[in-house]
Amino acid sequence: MPTASELPIDTSATAMGNVIFGNRITFDTANFYGADHAPNLFSEGDSTAPGIPPSDIGIILSADKVTGNPNDTMEKEDGERDHENDDDEEDDDEDDDGDDEEDDEEDDEEEDDGDDEEDDEEDDEEEDGDDDEEDDEEDDGETTAPCFTAGTLIETPKGAVVIESLQPGDLVQTLDHGPQPVRWVGTSQRMASGADAPIVFVKGALGDHDALELSPNHRVLVASPLAELMFENCEVLVLAKTLVNGTSITRRDDGQMVTYVHLLFDQHEIITGNGLQSESYHPGCETLSSFDSDTRDEILRLFPSIAQYGPEGYGQTARMALKPYEVRALLAG
């Protein structure tokens, strides 16, 4: 076996391993380890310490995969050196080398086991994510645009006004930007059945507000310290349909006619209806497709940036909008 001063510098760990152990062993993968920049004196010797042989620097050569039997090679080479070195020193060296190799093997096994566990955890997380995405896709099957129902009282600078009486240009009180003019008012009639059945909030279901009905995809403002911990936002927007609990928040699936009213502003706003804060209409791809062609054309004429850039042309939502699985996590907490 070569001495430290005979080892090549500016070389790879695998090449050095082959030099140390001879031709009977082939290093497939190996790594240098050591304090500070010690390994660099071998792998980058000329740039790290030009002209200085790194014979006094201690490194660990860790073999990840080898072909052959290192014990055979070591025993043969050690036998050839019996006449040159003290027997006790050779035994100590062999024991130390054996301990180092065993330690390296144990480290490699622990790393492999750790990697396997991490892979399993990642697989489980991916499966959970796939399930959540599938649930979200099912939820997104409802295309009813975010809207209030006729009769809802909307807060304005002059007081509460029945939503269907509002006209473009009328001012509505918003949470973030004060009084803002309505740009567009839309109405649509649906059967209160299936995906079009409104969500009913009894008085006080989410705080100090009166009873009201919203479309399933209408997003309600929810403020929670837990939301701050989970999503770094203390106020988030939550789909009305994800809050259904069978008691204070239910779905009215009675087949009766329901009139939905949409309010559109220059930007997405938080407004108050029957005392509950929720969103104004945000023209996304799915919601635009729920309107007839004349209504879509009207909105696109008012906001040509939507026609050019899609929903991004209108701007972001007023608050972070949670996905259904995120709402479940928030409510479970």
Side-chain angles (χ1 to χ4, degrees), residues 142 193-200 216 240-242 244-246 249-254:
E142 299 186 80
S193 177
D196 294 326
I199 306 302
V200 180
K241 64 187 178 185
T242 62
V244 171
N245 57 22
I249 305 174
T250 57
R251 186 186 289 265
R252 178 167 68 84
D253 196 348
D254 58 9

Side-chain angles (χ1 to χ4, degrees), residues 142 144-145 194-199 214-219 239-242 251 260:
E142 299 186 80
T144 303
D196 294 326
I199 306 302
L214 301 171
S215 66
N217 284 335
H218 192 103
R219 289 175 288 206
L239 294 172
K241 64 187 178 185
T242 62
R251 186 186 289 265
Y260 287 121

Side-chain angles (χ1 to χ4, degrees), residues 191-256:
M191 296 286 292
S193 177
D196 294 326
I199 306 302
V200 180
F201 293 77
V202 302
K203 181 178 181 178
L206 293 178
D208 186 15
H209 65 83
D210 293 327
L212 78 159
E213 294 184 347
L214 301 171
S215 66
N217 284 335
H218 192 103
R219 289 175 288 206
V220 176
L221 184 67
V222 173
S224 166
L226 184 58
E228 174 70 27
L229 292 174
M230 296 177 66
F231 308 111
E232 298 183 354
N233 289 276
C234 62
E235 294 181 337
V236 292
L237 289 172
V238 175
L239 294 172
K241 64 187 178 185
T242 62
L243 295 172
V244 171
N245 57 22
T247 54
S248 59
I249 305 174
T250 57
R251 186 186 289 265
R252 178 167 68 84
D253 196 348
D254 58 9
Q256 300 296 313

Side-chain angles (χ1 to χ4, degrees), residues 81-134:
R81 293 193 306 165
D82 282 344
H83 300 292
E84 299 176 2
N85 300 306
D86 182 77
D87 292 340
D88 292 338
E89 292 179 357
E90 290 177 3
D91 291 340
D92 291 341
D93 290 340
E94 289 176 4
D95 291 340
D96 292 340
D97 291 340
D99 291 340
D100 289 340
E101 290 173 4
E102 289 178 4
D103 291 341
D104 290 340
E105 290 176 359
E106 290 177 0
D107 291 341
D108 292 339
E109 289 177 0
E110 290 176 0
E111 290 177 1
D112 290 341
D113 291 341
D115 292 341
D116 291 339
E117 291 176 1
E118 290 178 1
D119 291 341
D120 291 341
E121 291 176 359
E122 289 176 0
D123 290 340
D124 292 340
E125 291 175 359
E126 288 177 1
E127 290 177 1
D128 293 340
D130 292 340
D131 293 339
D132 291 332
E133 289 177 4
E134 290 176 2

Side-chain angles (χ1 to χ4, degrees), residues 205-332:
L206 293 178
D208 186 15
H209 65 83
D210 293 327
L212 78 159
E213 294 184 347
L214 301 171
S215 66
N217 284 335
H218 192 103
R219 289 175 288 206
V220 176
L221 184 67
V222 173
S224 166
L226 184 58
E228 174 70 27
L229 292 174
M230 296 177 66
F231 308 111
E232 298 183 354
N233 289 276
C234 62
E235 294 181 337
V236 292
L237 289 172
V238 175
L239 294 172
K241 64 187 178 185
T242 62
L243 295 172
V244 171
N245 57 22
T247 54
S248 59
I249 305 174
T250 57
R251 186 186 289 265
R252 178 167 68 84
D253 196 348
D254 58 9
Q256 300 296 313
M257 292 300 299
V258 57
T259 299
Y260 287 121
V261 184
H262 322 271
L263 296 180
L264 182 62
F265 298 84
D266 286 324
Q267 59 191 342
H268 196 228
E269 300 285 2
I270 303 298
I271 59 178
T272 304
N274 284 13
L276 181 65
Q277 293 179 327
S278 63
E279 68 171 337
S280 63
Y281 173 54
H282 189 289
C285 293
E286 296 83 2
T287 58
L288 278 174
S289 64
S290 68
F291 295 125
D292 57 61
S293 59
D294 290 340
T295 301
R296 285 196 301 273
D297 291 342
E298 183 181 2
I299 294 174
L300 296 179
R301 281 196 302 271
L302 290 170
F303 295 92
S305 59
I306 301 175
Q308 183 175 1
Y309 301 108
E312 292 79 8
Y314 181 70
Q316 297 181 342
T317 56
R319 296 291 187 280
M320 178 183 181
L322 299 189
K323 296 179 180 180
Y325 75 88
E326 292 174 324
V327 177
R328 289 193 292 271
L330 178 63
L331 296 179

